[in-house]
Amino acid sequence: MDTDCIFCKIVAGKMPSSKIYEDSHTIAVLDIFPACPGHTLVIPRDHHADLFDTPAATLAHVARASKKVAHRLQEALGIDSVNIINNSGANAGQVVFHLHFHVVPRSGGDGLDFKLNRVKADAKYLEEMSSRLKF
Ligand code: AMP
Ligand code: ZN
């Protein structure tokens, strides 16, 4: 546990939260600044700052719990779509440095837009970038 971490405090029950799910590896709580009703955070019990620091097994637990939460949102809120978002690193918008997945229920006309601004790749870019990144 990181004593300065708000999510560690929530996991330890030392800070209030609206918990909707828990298992031996994760908890899921309502986000206190929801993008829309039902916006939930899935948080591993162990403290890891971000995706880079988190063991694959822990990520698997978080992914499994996120799927359970998505099904619960579908069933309880009647939504048919969901965004799973992880911000890792300050430049990606991470504010709380204890890894978490946002599970954001989506429905038609909800006014949310997580689309990235993208441009069509040309052949030169695809060739050069794939050779830089391939492993
Ligand atoms: P991120 O930008 O991915 O680090 O997002 C952190 C999220 O945690 C934000 O959406 C906050 O609204 C949410 N948050 C911060 N403090 C709390 C808290 N005490 N309980 C629930 N959610 C929180
Ligand atoms: Zn923590």
Side-chain angles (χ1 to χ4, degrees), residues 54 60 67 81 85 105 125:
T54 303
K67 179 170 168 60
S81 305
I85 298 167
Y125 163 83

Side-chain angles (χ1 to χ4, degrees), residues 6-7 10 15-18 29-35 39 41 43 85-88 92-98 100 102:
I6 53 172
F7 287 178
I10 287 174
M15 196 176 213
S17 70
S18 301
V29 302
L30 294 183
D31 195 303
I32 52 165
F33 289 95
H39 179 173
L41 303 174
I43 303 170
I85 298 167
N86 166 253
N87 300 322
S88 278
Q94 187 174 10
V95 174
V96 178
F97 287 84
H98 177 135
H100 52 281
H102 297 254

Side-chain angles (χ1 to χ4, degrees), residues 68-134:
K68 286 188 178 180
V69 167
H71 282 293
R72 181 68 189 139
L73 296 171
Q74 186 181 47
E75 167 188 276
L77 303 182
I79 54 91
D80 59 9
S81 305
V82 73
N83 287 109
I84 304 285
I85 298 167
N86 166 253
N87 300 322
S88 278
N91 287 323
Q94 187 174 10
V95 174
V96 178
F97 287 84
H98 177 135
L99 174 112
H100 52 281
F101 283 9
H102 297 254
V103 185
V104 184
R106 300 299 307 276
S107 51
D110 62 15
L112 299 179
D113 187 357
F114 298 121
K115 287 197 186 76
L116 304 174
N117 295 323
R118 292 173 292 169
V119 288
K120 179 147 180 21
D122 60 23
K124 183 167 176 282
Y125 163 83
L126 291 172
E127 191 185 315
E128 286 178 2
M129 190 53 75
S130 62
S131 71
R132 269 178 80 185
L133 297 180
K134 197 155 38 185

